[in-house]
Amino acid sequence: MLNLIKNEYIKLFKRGSVIAAVIVMFVLSLGIMMIFKAAEILEDELTYMTEDGEVIGEGKEFYEARVTVLKERLEELEKDSKSNTKDMEAVKRSIAVFEYLIEKDISEEDWRYSLVFEVIGNKEEKDEDISKQEVKEFLDNNDFEGYVRYKAQVTKDQEIKYVNCDDGIKNIYAFMVENEIFDSSDWRYEALTNLEAMAQNAASDREIKRVMALNYRILNNIQYSTDDIVEDIFEVTDETETPFMYGFGSSAGIMVILCGIVIIFAGIIVASEHTDGTIKFLITNPVSRGKIIVSKYLTIVSLSAIGMVTLFVFNFIVCCILFGTEGINAVHLKVTMDGITQMPVILNILIKYVLEMVGVIAYGTMAFAISSFAKSTAVAVAVGIMSSMAGSMVSTVLAQMHQDWGRYLIFSNTSLSTIMENGAYYPNQSVTFALTTVVVYVIIFFTIAYDGFTRKEI
Amino acid sequence: MMETAIKIQNLNKSFGKKHIIKDLSMELKAGEVFGFLGPNGAGKTTTIKMIVGMLHLESGSIEVCGVDVEKDFEKAMANIGAIVENPEMYKYLTGMDNLKQYARMRKGVTKERIDEVVELVGLSNRINEKVKKYSLGMRQRLGVAQAILHKPKVLILDEPSNGLDPAGIKQLRDILKNLAHNEGVCVLVSSHLMSEMELMCDRVGIIAEGKLLDIKTIDDMTRAVTADVNVIAYHVTDASKAKEIVDEYVAALDIDEESKTIYKFNVQDNEHFDVEFPVQIVDELWKLNKKLAMADVGLISICPQENRKLEDVFIEMTANGGDQIA
């Protein structure tokens, strides 16, 4: 059997066209990594621009405008004998708030901003724990540390109630004191206040996961990007994403090129024997047809695996060169309802590659089945590539049209790494479901190929 | 008695509604070159394809060295070396790489054996070139090398002389005869050329329209053909004068009238003619010749003609004579 597989490898790799295809794969792969690199540089520039843009915005002029408007309102109220004092009080307090903001030069991003509204703008002492007077002092002195220590003191008996996250942060101010987060610009301050608000309301799985993820990020000081918040990314790394992690993480998509190559190989490996007439010499050997077709299939499967490992190593090296090795030892964490699982980032990317490889093998097997029927190599390759391309379109369209049976199509299940990241075509389409479906299809395709080859009259 | 190498019993095969092989049975012995002879479309290649496992048997059985090809294909094939139809090799590989492909699939083929076989078929100088640079004859030689690589007990060659030059054909003939007569290999060669078979084979099986018509040794066939020679070609000084004498002589013979109707005198020119005589008088032809000589007809040469060549026998046996492809 090993000899048969060796034969198949020799037959494939002594072909000029096959070697050309492999070279193209590496060149394309390198090209795509370069595009990632270019995109990364571009993205950095874009970020600076938006930051610049934000600096303009509101601030002092806005406050002054508000004060003017509020004062006009107050005058109107005073003229009107019907108006009650309650309203006038409220307007006066608002004016005080904005005048204070102007006086102390407090921007919207300042830690004091919302507190000013609370302390000066509120009539009643809603929060029984804090004394307005003391807080006002912290505000006047811009004493963030003092405020945090004070809050930790007064709220020490309060605990955040979590669902499904027992080891979460219990008290955000105590946490800040403990970890000496006394710089109001620390991203964790904002995140902690968000966490507190979110934890109280978390009900759905999605919200619970979000709280879990946020907790983990804060505990391990892994800053999120704005993208993460919008997309609810429940997978994090133990440090803020580096260019290496971004580049290498995205590189698993390059496996689509390998998919094309494997389809070509699968198309060649059976159909070319018929096209070249060599099949007659192949089967007049003391080797049963079953063994021949199995060894050919094993060649395709092993080539998919070898191709995957080669691409993984190749892309790893390219990424190290293009993006540097920062973040290479990072740990990847995945948030599920069962908790947070962790593994090295590199291993997580390898898993993505392996899952992509399963898809490659699935399409390879399909092309293999076509190959064992097709009369010509060109037809086998063309049909294989076209069906893999048309297939994902069919799945997308069916999913959009809410045709639920579409989930049983092979094309809906081949992008396993996307499915792992909650990017399935259909809701509740788990990796296990996809994997099972793919295995069933692979068995069917192989049976077709096996049966076709062993019965064929030559 | 030589042992049986290939035993075919009641073989049948149809493609769709067309019945190609009709109840074919034959036995081939070790140590003989067996010619499988028949016009195009007679079923030669179909039969061979069934022996080597390219086609499935519809009914009947084929045993190679006592092993049923359908029941134990691998064991049966271990005894067979074959070229079916054209010698199509992997064109992008060298001749040597091609042979190594087959060596890996068969047991006990050493590097030395490959070199030995390459030497035998006369490809030593070109074996490391890619097959796409080979001529048809060279590919045929490579095909033979491939077929005998593992020293099979049965060698099957479908139209092996295709594309070979006369020297190559002679060489192939010698290789096959040597394998059969000295090494006890059973060689099955198919062809539609009787003349080729005549030089190569010990026995010939004639097949037409899927039926095995006859199996004969080449010796038997030659004897059958030469036994009833009764046409004599004459080269004389005066053909017209000779005609008068011969007519007179035959008319005066003491034989039955029916036999006399066989007599034909064909004049070709002033000096050449041939005569078809009733068989019974051929032995006494000296009497006629004496008469001619006495009548001053100069006898330059007298030559018996084989009225039926092996080719004619073959065409006659295969009935339709190949007018239409069966």
mmCIF file with all atom_site columns, all heavy atoms in Angstrom, chain A residues 361-377:
data_model
loop_
_atom_site.group_PDB
_atom_site.id
_atom_site.type_symbol
_atom_site.label_atom_id
_atom_site.label_alt_id
_atom_site.label_comp_id
_atom_site.label_asym_id
_atom_site.label_entity_id
_atom_site.label_seq_id
_atom_site.pdbx_PDB_ins_code
_atom_site.Cartn_x
_atom_site.Cartn_y
_atom_site.Cartn_z
_atom_site.occupancy
_atom_site.B_iso_or_equiv
_atom_site.pdbx_formal_charge
_atom_site.auth_seq_id
_atom_site.auth_comp_id
_atom_site.auth_asym_id
_atom_site.auth_atom_id
_atom_site.pdbx_PDB_model_num
ATOM 1   N N   . ILE A 1 361 ? -10.536 18.560 2.652   1.00 0.00 ? 361 ILE A N   1
ATOM 2   C CA  . ILE A 1 361 ? -10.688 17.127 2.381   1.00 0.00 ? 361 ILE A CA  1
ATOM 3   C C   . ILE A 1 361 ? -12.083 16.837 1.846   1.00 0.00 ? 361 ILE A C   1
ATOM 4   O O   . ILE A 1 361 ? -12.261 16.034 0.925   1.00 0.00 ? 361 ILE A O   1
ATOM 5   C CB  . ILE A 1 361 ? -10.385 16.288 3.641   1.00 0.00 ? 361 ILE A CB  1
ATOM 6   C CG1 . ILE A 1 361 ? -8.892  16.384 3.967   1.00 0.00 ? 361 ILE A CG1 1
ATOM 7   C CG2 . ILE A 1 361 ? -10.790 14.827 3.442   1.00 0.00 ? 361 ILE A CG2 1
ATOM 8   C CD1 . ILE A 1 361 ? -8.481  15.714 5.248   1.00 0.00 ? 361 ILE A CD1 1
ATOM 9   N N   . ALA A 1 362 ? -13.078 17.543 2.396   1.00 0.00 ? 362 ALA A N   1
ATOM 10  C CA  . ALA A 1 362 ? -14.454 17.334 1.923   1.00 0.00 ? 362 ALA A CA  1
ATOM 11  C C   . ALA A 1 362 ? -14.568 17.663 0.434   1.00 0.00 ? 362 ALA A C   1
ATOM 12  O O   . ALA A 1 362 ? -15.073 16.853 -0.354  1.00 0.00 ? 362 ALA A O   1
ATOM 13  C CB  . ALA A 1 362 ? -15.415 18.194 2.729   1.00 0.00 ? 362 ALA A CB  1
ATOM 14  N N   . TYR A 1 363 ? -14.053 18.843 0.033   1.00 0.00 ? 363 TYR A N   1
ATOM 15  C CA  . TYR A 1 363 ? -14.099 19.210 -1.384  1.00 0.00 ? 363 TYR A CA  1
ATOM 16  C C   . TYR A 1 363 ? -13.208 18.282 -2.212  1.00 0.00 ? 363 TYR A C   1
ATOM 17  O O   . TYR A 1 363 ? -13.548 17.937 -3.342  1.00 0.00 ? 363 TYR A O   1
ATOM 18  C CB  . TYR A 1 363 ? -13.667 20.665 -1.569  1.00 0.00 ? 363 TYR A CB  1
ATOM 19  C CG  . TYR A 1 363 ? -14.753 21.653 -1.212  1.00 0.00 ? 363 TYR A CG  1
ATOM 20  C CD1 . TYR A 1 363 ? -14.570 22.600 -0.223  1.00 0.00 ? 363 TYR A CD1 1
ATOM 21  C CD2 . TYR A 1 363 ? -15.976 21.613 -1.872  1.00 0.00 ? 363 TYR A CD2 1
ATOM 22  C CE1 . TYR A 1 363 ? -15.574 23.497 0.111   1.00 0.00 ? 363 TYR A CE1 1
ATOM 23  C CE2 . TYR A 1 363 ? -16.985 22.497 -1.548  1.00 0.00 ? 363 TYR A CE2 1
ATOM 24  C CZ  . TYR A 1 363 ? -16.778 23.437 -0.555  1.00 0.00 ? 363 TYR A CZ  1
ATOM 25  O OH  . TYR A 1 363 ? -17.777 24.302 -0.231  1.00 0.00 ? 363 TYR A OH  1
ATOM 26  N N   . GLY A 1 364 ? -12.067 17.903 -1.629  1.00 0.00 ? 364 GLY A N   1
ATOM 27  C CA  . GLY A 1 364 ? -11.156 16.967 -2.313  1.00 0.00 ? 364 GLY A CA  1
ATOM 28  C C   . GLY A 1 364 ? -11.863 15.659 -2.617  1.00 0.00 ? 364 GLY A C   1
ATOM 29  O O   . GLY A 1 364 ? -11.754 15.129 -3.723  1.00 0.00 ? 364 GLY A O   1
ATOM 30  N N   . THR A 1 365 ? -12.621 15.155 -1.652  1.00 0.00 ? 365 THR A N   1
ATOM 31  C CA  . THR A 1 365 ? -13.328 13.885 -1.847  1.00 0.00 ? 365 THR A CA  1
ATOM 32  C C   . THR A 1 365 ? -14.399 14.036 -2.918  1.00 0.00 ? 365 THR A C   1
ATOM 33  O O   . THR A 1 365 ? -14.602 13.135 -3.747  1.00 0.00 ? 365 THR A O   1
ATOM 34  C CB  . THR A 1 365 ? -13.973 13.419 -0.530  1.00 0.00 ? 365 THR A CB  1
ATOM 35  O OG1 . THR A 1 365 ? -13.025 13.578 0.516   1.00 0.00 ? 365 THR A OG1 1
ATOM 36  C CG2 . THR A 1 365 ? -14.389 11.973 -0.620  1.00 0.00 ? 365 THR A CG2 1
ATOM 37  N N   . MET A 1 366 ? -15.051 15.204 -2.918  1.00 0.00 ? 366 MET A N   1
ATOM 38  C CA  . MET A 1 366 ? -16.071 15.446 -3.940  1.00 0.00 ? 366 MET A CA  1
ATOM 39  C C   . MET A 1 366 ? -15.431 15.427 -5.330  1.00 0.00 ? 366 MET A C   1
ATOM 40  O O   . MET A 1 366 ? -15.907 14.741 -6.234  1.00 0.00 ? 366 MET A O   1
ATOM 41  C CB  . MET A 1 366 ? -16.737 16.796 -3.681  1.00 0.00 ? 366 MET A CB  1
ATOM 42  C CG  . MET A 1 366 ? -17.907 17.078 -4.585  1.00 0.00 ? 366 MET A CG  1
ATOM 43  S SD  . MET A 1 366 ? -18.698 18.640 -4.161  1.00 0.00 ? 366 MET A SD  1
ATOM 44  C CE  . MET A 1 366 ? -17.498 19.793 -4.770  1.00 0.00 ? 366 MET A CE  1
ATOM 45  N N   . ALA A 1 367 ? -14.313 16.157 -5.461  1.00 0.00 ? 367 ALA A N   1
ATOM 46  C CA  . ALA A 1 367 ? -13.609 16.190 -6.745  1.00 0.00 ? 367 ALA A CA  1
ATOM 47  C C   . ALA A 1 367 ? -13.110 14.800 -7.125  1.00 0.00 ? 367 ALA A C   1
ATOM 48  O O   . ALA A 1 367 ? -13.105 14.421 -8.297  1.00 0.00 ? 367 ALA A O   1
ATOM 49  C CB  . ALA A 1 367 ? -12.436 17.155 -6.674  1.00 0.00 ? 367 ALA A CB  1
ATOM 50  N N   . PHE A 1 368 ? -12.743 14.022 -6.116  1.00 0.00 ? 368 PHE A N   1
ATOM 51  C CA  . PHE A 1 368 ? -12.246 12.659 -6.330  1.00 0.00 ? 368 PHE A CA  1
ATOM 52  C C   . PHE A 1 368 ? -13.360 11.790 -6.932  1.00 0.00 ? 368 PHE A C   1
ATOM 53  O O   . PHE A 1 368 ? -13.128 11.035 -7.879  1.00 0.00 ? 368 PHE A O   1
ATOM 54  C CB  . PHE A 1 368 ? -11.793 12.104 -4.986  1.00 0.00 ? 368 PHE A CB  1
ATOM 55  C CG  . PHE A 1 368 ? -11.052 10.803 -5.058  1.00 0.00 ? 368 PHE A CG  1
ATOM 56  C CD1 . PHE A 1 368 ? -9.769  10.757 -5.552  1.00 0.00 ? 368 PHE A CD1 1
ATOM 57  C CD2 . PHE A 1 368 ? -11.636 9.627  -4.608  1.00 0.00 ? 368 PHE A CD2 1
ATOM 58  C CE1 . PHE A 1 368 ? -9.079  9.570  -5.610  1.00 0.00 ? 368 PHE A CE1 1
ATOM 59  C CE2 . PHE A 1 368 ? -10.959 8.437  -4.663  1.00 0.00 ? 368 PHE A CE2 1
ATOM 60  C CZ  . PHE A 1 368 ? -9.674  8.401  -5.166  1.00 0.00 ? 368 PHE A CZ  1
ATOM 61  N N   . ALA A 1 369 ? -14.560 11.948 -6.363  1.00 0.00 ? 369 ALA A N   1
ATOM 62  C CA  . ALA A 1 369 ? -15.706 11.194 -6.881  1.00 0.00 ? 369 ALA A CA  1
ATOM 63  C C   . ALA A 1 369 ? -15.994 11.602 -8.325  1.00 0.00 ? 369 ALA A C   1
ATOM 64  O O   . ALA A 1 369 ? -16.220 10.756 -9.190  1.00 0.00 ? 369 ALA A O   1
ATOM 65  C CB  . ALA A 1 369 ? -16.931 11.418 -6.010  1.00 0.00 ? 369 ALA A CB  1
ATOM 66  N N   . ILE A 1 370 ? -15.942 12.917 -8.584  1.00 0.00 ? 370 ILE A N   1
ATOM 67  C CA  . ILE A 1 370 ? -16.173 13.395 -9.951  1.00 0.00 ? 370 ILE A CA  1
ATOM 68  C C   . ILE A 1 370 ? -15.098 12.831 -10.873 1.00 0.00 ? 370 ILE A C   1
ATOM 69  O O   . ILE A 1 370 ? -15.364 12.343 -11.956 1.00 0.00 ? 370 ILE A O   1
ATOM 70  C CB  . ILE A 1 370 ? -16.166 14.942 -9.998  1.00 0.00 ? 370 ILE A CB  1
ATOM 71  C CG1 . ILE A 1 370 ? -17.322 15.507 -9.165  1.00 0.00 ? 370 ILE A CG1 1
ATOM 72  C CG2 . ILE A 1 370 ? -16.265 15.445 -11.435 1.00 0.00 ? 370 ILE A CG2 1
ATOM 73  C CD1 . ILE A 1 370 ? -17.218 16.993 -8.901  1.00 0.00 ? 370 ILE A CD1 1
ATOM 74  N N   . SER A 1 371 ? -13.865 12.858 -10.373 1.00 0.00 ? 371 SER A N   1
ATOM 75  C CA  . SER A 1 371 ? -12.718 12.386 -11.153 1.00 0.00 ? 371 SER A CA  1
ATOM 76  C C   . SER A 1 371 ? -12.870 10.922 -11.570 1.00 0.00 ? 371 SER A C   1
ATOM 77  O O   . SER A 1 371 ? -12.485 10.529 -12.666 1.00 0.00 ? 371 SER A O   1
ATOM 78  C CB  . SER A 1 371 ? -11.443 12.564 -10.328 1.00 0.00 ? 371 SER A CB  1
ATOM 79  O OG  . SER A 1 371 ? -10.320 12.113 -11.013 1.00 0.00 ? 371 SER A OG  1
ATOM 80  N N   . SER A 1 372 ? -13.448 10.116 -10.687 1.00 0.00 ? 372 SER A N   1
ATOM 81  C CA  . SER A 1 372 ? -13.543 8.692  -11.011 1.00 0.00 ? 372 SER A CA  1
ATOM 82  C C   . SER A 1 372 ? -14.634 8.434  -12.045 1.00 0.00 ? 372 SER A C   1
ATOM 83  O O   . SER A 1 372 ? -14.748 7.338  -12.570 1.00 0.00 ? 372 SER A O   1
ATOM 84  C CB  . SER A 1 372 ? -13.794 7.880  -9.740  1.00 0.00 ? 372 SER A CB  1
ATOM 85  O OG  . SER A 1 372 ? -15.071 8.168  -9.244  1.00 0.00 ? 372 SER A OG  1
ATOM 86  N N   . PHE A 1 373 ? -15.433 9.446  -12.341 1.00 0.00 ? 373 PHE A N   1
ATOM 87  C CA  . PHE A 1 373 ? -16.458 9.304  -13.376 1.00 0.00 ? 373 PHE A CA  1
ATOM 88  C C   . PHE A 1 373 ? -16.063 9.990  -14.674 1.00 0.00 ? 373 PHE A C   1
ATOM 89  O O   . PHE A 1 373 ? -16.360 9.505  -15.755 1.00 0.00 ? 373 PHE A O   1
ATOM 90  C CB  . PHE A 1 373 ? -17.769 9.925  -12.903 1.00 0.00 ? 373 PHE A CB  1
ATOM 91  C CG  . PHE A 1 373 ? -18.594 8.977  -12.121 1.00 0.00 ? 373 PHE A CG  1
ATOM 92  C CD1 . PHE A 1 373 ? -18.655 9.065  -10.754 1.00 0.00 ? 373 PHE A CD1 1
ATOM 93  C CD2 . PHE A 1 373 ? -19.300 7.981  -12.762 1.00 0.00 ? 373 PHE A CD2 1
ATOM 94  C CE1 . PHE A 1 373 ? -19.404 8.169  -10.020 1.00 0.00 ? 373 PHE A CE1 1
ATOM 95  C CE2 . PHE A 1 373 ? -20.053 7.083  -12.049 1.00 0.00 ? 373 PHE A CE2 1
ATOM 96  C CZ  . PHE A 1 373 ? -20.098 7.178  -10.673 1.00 0.00 ? 373 PHE A CZ  1
ATOM 97  N N   . ALA A 1 374 ? -15.403 11.164 -14.517 1.00 0.00 ? 374 ALA A N   1
ATOM 98  C CA  . ALA A 1 374 ? -15.148 12.014 -15.677 1.00 0.00 ? 374 ALA A CA  1
ATOM 99  C C   . ALA A 1 374 ? -14.259 11.299 -16.683 1.00 0.00 ? 374 ALA A C   1
ATOM 100 O O   . ALA A 1 374 ? -13.408 10.508 -16.324 1.00 0.00 ? 374 ALA A O   1
ATOM 101 C CB  . ALA A 1 374 ? -14.496 13.308 -15.216 1.00 0.00 ? 374 ALA A CB  1
ATOM 102 N N   . LYS A 1 375 ? -14.522 11.598 -17.952 1.00 0.00 ? 375 LYS A N   1
ATOM 103 C CA  . LYS A 1 375 ? -13.721 10.993 -19.010 1.00 0.00 ? 375 LYS A CA  1
ATOM 104 C C   . LYS A 1 375 ? -12.426 11.770 -19.201 1.00 0.00 ? 375 LYS A C   1
ATOM 105 O O   . LYS A 1 375 ? -11.464 11.256 -19.715 1.00 0.00 ? 375 LYS A O   1
ATOM 106 C CB  . LYS A 1 375 ? -14.518 10.963 -20.314 1.00 0.00 ? 375 LYS A CB  1
ATOM 107 C CG  . LYS A 1 375 ? -15.668 9.975  -20.284 1.00 0.00 ? 375 LYS A CG  1
ATOM 108 C CD  . LYS A 1 375 ? -15.272 8.661  -20.939 1.00 0.00 ? 375 LYS A CD  1
ATOM 109 C CE  . LYS A 1 375 ? -16.439 7.695  -21.015 1.00 0.00 ? 375 LYS A CE  1
ATOM 110 N NZ  . LYS A 1 375 ? -16.470 6.754  -19.905 1.00 0.00 ? 375 LYS A NZ  1
ATOM 111 N N   . SER A 1 376 ? -12.418 13.058 -18.799 1.00 0.00 ? 376 SER A N   1
ATOM 112 C CA  . SER A 1 376 ? -11.190 13.820 -19.001 1.00 0.00 ? 376 SER A CA  1
ATOM 113 C C   . SER A 1 376 ? -10.783 14.577 -17.747 1.00 0.00 ? 376 SER A C   1
ATOM 114 O O   . SER A 1 376 ? -11.615 14.936 -16.921 1.00 0.00 ? 376 SER A O   1
ATOM 115 C CB  . SER A 1 376 ? -11.353 14.803 -20.163 1.00 0.00 ? 376 SER A CB  1
ATOM 116 O OG  . SER A 1 376 ? -11.811 16.036 -19.675 1.00 0.00 ? 376 SER A OG  1
ATOM 117 N N   . THR A 1 377 ? -9.488  14.770 -17.630 1.00 0.00 ? 377 THR A N   1
ATOM 118 C CA  . THR A 1 377 ? -8.939  15.446 -16.471 1.00 0.00 ? 377 THR A CA  1
ATOM 119 C C   . THR A 1 377 ? -9.480  16.869 -16.361 1.00 0.00 ? 377 THR A C   1
ATOM 120 O O   . THR A 1 377 ? -9.857  17.313 -15.282 1.00 0.00 ? 377 THR A O   1
ATOM 121 C CB  . THR A 1 377 ? -7.406  15.514 -16.587 1.00 0.00 ? 377 THR A CB  1
ATOM 122 O OG1 . THR A 1 377 ? -6.957  14.240 -17.027 1.00 0.00 ? 377 THR A OG1 1
ATOM 123 C CG2 . THR A 1 377 ? -6.769  15.839 -15.269 1.00 0.00 ? 377 THR A CG2 1
#
